[in-house]
Amino acid sequence: MATIGWSRRRGRTAVLAVAVFAALVMSSCSSSPKSQSSTPSGQSAASGSGTPAAAGSTTILNVNDGRSGSYTANFNPLQSTSVNSGAPGPMYETLYFFNQLRADPPMPMLATAYAWSDGGKTLTFTIRDGVKWTDGQPFTAADVAYSFQVLKDHKALNGNGIPFGTITATDSSHVKLTFTAPSYSNLWYIAGQTYMVPQHIFSKMADVVTDLNSQPVGTGPFMLQSFAPQVYVLKKNPGYWQAGKPQIAGLRFKAFSGNDSSLTSLIGGQIDWEGGFIADIDQVYASKGPNNKYINTPLFTTVLLPNLTKFPGNDPAVRQALNLALDRDGINKKAFSGLDTDANTALLLSPRDAKYLDPSVAAGAKIATDTAKAQTTLESAGWVKGSDGIYAKGGKKLSFPVEIPSGYSDWVAALQVMQQQLKAVGIDLRPTGVSNTAWNSDLNSGNFTFALQNLFGGPTPYYLYNTWLNTASQAPNGNNSARYSNPDVDKALATIAGTNDAAVQQKAYGVIQAQVVKDLPYIPIGQSSSLTEFKDGNTGGWPTASNLFAIPAPWAHPDLGIVAANLTAK
């Protein structure tokens, strides 16, 4: 189970050119537009205090979750790298919700309390009473124990490497987990990224690892109404355990061939909610209608991801040269409308993670373009520039494809800029577009040389480090698609996970950062913010700059379910 079940390999979408919007006249939502509201939701995601929806509310939001190509009927939330966005969050829930945008305490969802004991080796949950699966069966402590047992029994689903010991439903409302090592820092993985599944259904599957669960039964605010390869619809769960939620009638997920078609649909009223980059967003989108709103939230670092098991990404000199040769400011201005901010090779988000940066690596973590040094770095490692201006070594040219989903046109633009910059140094980068499905598959299987990727983390740097650097998180079991492995990093991650001592954790962070700055397993391009576009003509309660109660993007999991459950129907 990959750490970032909600976002995984989701590239930012972009549109560099848009055709004609005037001919598109479809309404913004399934119901007729109503007056918009500027009142942000102040409710907690699981407070159960929402205002009851008006009888007969028919608002169904049309959602673009970034899928390029067709959907498959995969609603198995345990398959976090291939499941449809409508499953984790809207249909299947976690024990707690962790808000990555604010320093909020974990929010109770399917559990109401937790307690550590035995030096971080035992964790006990109190399970919420009165919750039912959408087939009417009660949600029980046995379901919780089963959901964790599935992860323990199937390494392919335990990509975070949670060191499970015993898993026991001690009574009807309590589950006790033991671990073979202290696991304080695994709390987000355990309580916030593990989706509870019904034992009475999943235990009958021939293989929970591969079964698509095409007839999903969950506890969440929505349930499946219909499915087709280009569109599937979720309807509200009338028996949802949070009183008065959801207010909207449902969510309609639509697949698109690429960014141009999706933005055309957004402007024309066929899409109400999406999360993607739009160049000159105020002019291109916000000015086209009074209900066209957006919000920008810092979330991730965009990187050039090498396959460390293949030539030439397995050569440290190549990775160092790439880091030195790329002009991030030029890439940002030409491809990302200047919205990105400076990244660092320690892979920390700024300014949120500034306190975690070890002073001994701070200078080395800064990125500075130096094309002359890039060339001397290659030449010192035995690379020789040929008559065509491209370096070669051992009869192999420094020429490689960089794989991206073909619909992500900001990434297309970024690669075009990078291609020009690197050619001037003697490196031949070849942009290669594939379908979103193929991109995910290639990163999982290792059938790629380089790719662009967004590195997501969690409430602290530990989660990004553990997701993308831990040997135990290597794809296909996790998101470590680079196949990076460093025993010093693995040991430091185990130290962080096994203590609540901030000083001990800080020392371990320094070890990780020193190794990552030296090894460059990922070459940062920029610290990227996430744009989310939505239309509030028929709905209120969206996250705002003053009330970031969840990540607003519809590809964020389980945040998608939190946001949708808290929207108010006008």
Side-chain angles (χ1 to χ4, degrees), residues 3-4 100 185-186 188-189 299 301 344-358 455-470 473 489 492-494 496-497 502 505-506 508-510 512-513 516 522 527:
T3 304
I4 312 302
Q100 295 183 68
S185 291
N186 284 325
W188 184 50
Y189 297 150
L299 283 177
T301 299
N344 58 82
T345 56
L347 304 178
L348 294 172
L349 284 178
S350 298
R352 190 196 72 175
D353 295 338
K355 68 178 182 180
Y356 294 100
L357 180 61
D358 189 286
L455 301 191
F456 291 83
T460 70
Y462 168 80
Y463 295 100
L464 184 145
Y465 287 161
N466 194 55
T467 300
W468 303 99
L469 302 175
N470 197 331
S473 297
V489 170
L493 286 169
I496 295 170
Q505 289 183 338
Q506 187 60 43
Y509 278 127
I512 295 171
Q513 291 159 16
V516 172
Y522 302 94
Q527 183 170 287

Side-chain angles (χ1 to χ4, degrees), residues 56-411:
S57 175
T58 59
T59 299
I60 298 178
L61 293 182
N62 296 304
V63 182
N64 172 23
D65 62 357
R67 177 61 59 94
S68 177
S70 300
Y71 292 106
T72 56
N74 186 350
F75 296 100
N76 185 340
L78 303 178
Q79 299 177 16
S80 58
T81 60
S82 56
V83 65
N84 289 324
S85 295
M91 288 194 282
Y92 292 92
E93 298 179 303
T94 56
L95 297 181
Y96 276 80
F97 172 68
F98 291 70
N99 186 356
Q100 295 183 68
L101 299 180
R102 298 191 307 210
D104 294 344
M107 181 179 297
M109 292 294 289
L110 294 179
T112 58
Y114 70 89
W116 289 102
S117 58
D118 190 25
K121 290 186 177 181
T122 299
L123 178 59
T124 302
F125 288 104
T126 301
I127 308 307
R128 186 178 297 277
D129 291 330
V131 178
K132 290 186 177 181
W133 298 101
T134 50
D135 63 357
Q137 295 295 312
F139 167 75
T140 68
D143 292 312
V144 176
Y146 173 79
S147 299
F148 287 116
Q149 189 68 45
V150 168
L151 264 63
K152 178 184 177 182
D153 293 344
H154 299 87
K155 183 178 180 181
L157 301 178
N158 189 18
N160 297 314
I162 301 171
F164 288 111
T166 60
I167 300 170
T168 309
T170 56
D171 57 35
S172 61
S173 58
H174 293 87
V175 172
K176 182 171 75 172
L177 310 178
T178 66
F179 308 96
T180 59
S183 296
Y184 293 113
S185 291
N186 284 325
L187 182 63
W188 184 50
Y189 297 150
I190 297 164
Q193 289 288 292
T194 301
Y195 296 91
M196 299 296 104
V197 297
Q199 182 180 20
H200 65 282
I201 293 177
F202 275 65
S203 63
K204 298 176 183 178
M205 294 178 177
D207 187 353
V208 295
V209 177
T210 60
D211 195 295
L212 298 183
N213 188 38
S214 59
Q215 300 295 323
V217 172
T219 61
F222 298 92
M223 53 197 296
L224 185 64
Q225 176 174 301
S226 63
F227 176 84
Q230 294 302 313
V231 59
Y232 67 91
V233 181
L234 306 186
K235 62 181 179 180
K236 68 184 297 182
N237 174 6
Y240 188 46
W241 57 271
Q242 291 195 55
K245 300 180 182 180
Q247 289 195 24
I248 61 173
L251 302 168
R252 181 182 293 109
F253 293 83
K254 295 184 176 183
F256 291 88
S257 59
N259 300 330
D260 289 351
S261 62
S262 67
L263 182 58
T264 299
S265 296
L266 177 69
I267 299 297
Q270 295 169 290
I271 290 296
D272 307 305
W273 185 8
E274 74 167 30
F277 177 85
I278 299 176
D280 194 13
I281 189 169
D282 288 310
Q283 178 62 33
V284 172
Y285 165 70
S287 67
K288 302 300 181 181
N291 298 325
N292 291 1
K293 305 298 172 60
Y294 71 89
I295 187 170
N296 196 12
T297 50
L299 283 177
F300 45 76
T301 299
T302 301
V303 299
L304 181 60
L305 185 156
N307 187 333
L308 298 176
T309 69
K310 289 187 176 183
F311 175 90
N314 59 358
D315 187 335
V318 170
R319 302 195 300 274
Q320 292 165 8
L322 289 169
N323 186 55
L324 290 164
L326 292 172
D327 174 11
R328 274 68 166 196
D329 186 58
I331 298 169
N332 185 21
K333 289 179 179 178
K334 294 179 181 179
F336 302 134
S337 294
L339 292 174
D340 283 5
T341 54
D342 292 339
N344 58 82
T345 56
L347 304 178
L348 294 172
L349 284 178
S350 298
R352 190 196 72 175
D353 295 338
K355 68 178 182 180
Y356 294 100
L357 180 61
D358 189 286
S360 67
V361 302
K366 291 182 179 179
I367 295 173
T369 303
D370 189 335
T371 56
K373 188 175 181 180
Q375 295 180 81
T376 58
T377 297
L378 289 172
E379 291 164 4
S380 297
W383 290 88
V384 178
K385 187 174 290 189
S387 58
D388 59 356
I390 302 301
Y391 281 100
K393 182 179 180 180
K396 295 181 179 180
K397 287 188 176 183
L398 188 43
S399 174
F400 53 85
V402 178
E403 189 171 302
I404 60 170
S406 55
Y408 294 174
S409 51
D410 62 336
W411 280 11

Side-chain angles (χ1 to χ4, degrees), residues 385-469:
K385 187 174 290 189
S387 58
D388 59 356
I390 302 301
Y391 281 100
K393 182 179 180 180
K396 295 181 179 180
K397 287 188 176 183
L398 188 43
S399 174
F400 53 85
V402 178
E403 189 171 302
I404 60 170
S406 55
Y408 294 174
S409 51
D410 62 336
W411 280 11
V412 172
L415 286 187
Q416 290 172 346
V417 177
M418 293 163 63
Q419 182 181 40
Q420 295 172 356
Q421 293 178 354
L422 294 178
K423 183 178 181 180
V425 175
I427 300 172
D428 179 33
L429 179 154
R430 306 193 308 274
T432 303
V434 298
S435 70
N436 188 285
T437 299
W439 180 60
N440 274 309
S441 176
D442 289 346
L443 292 178
N444 272 329
S445 67
N447 184 32
F448 74 100
T449 305
F450 278 84
L452 281 190
Q453 176 61 292
N454 288 330
L455 301 191
F456 291 83
T460 70
Y462 168 80
Y463 295 100
L464 184 145
Y465 287 161
N466 194 55
T467 300
W468 303 99
L469 302 175

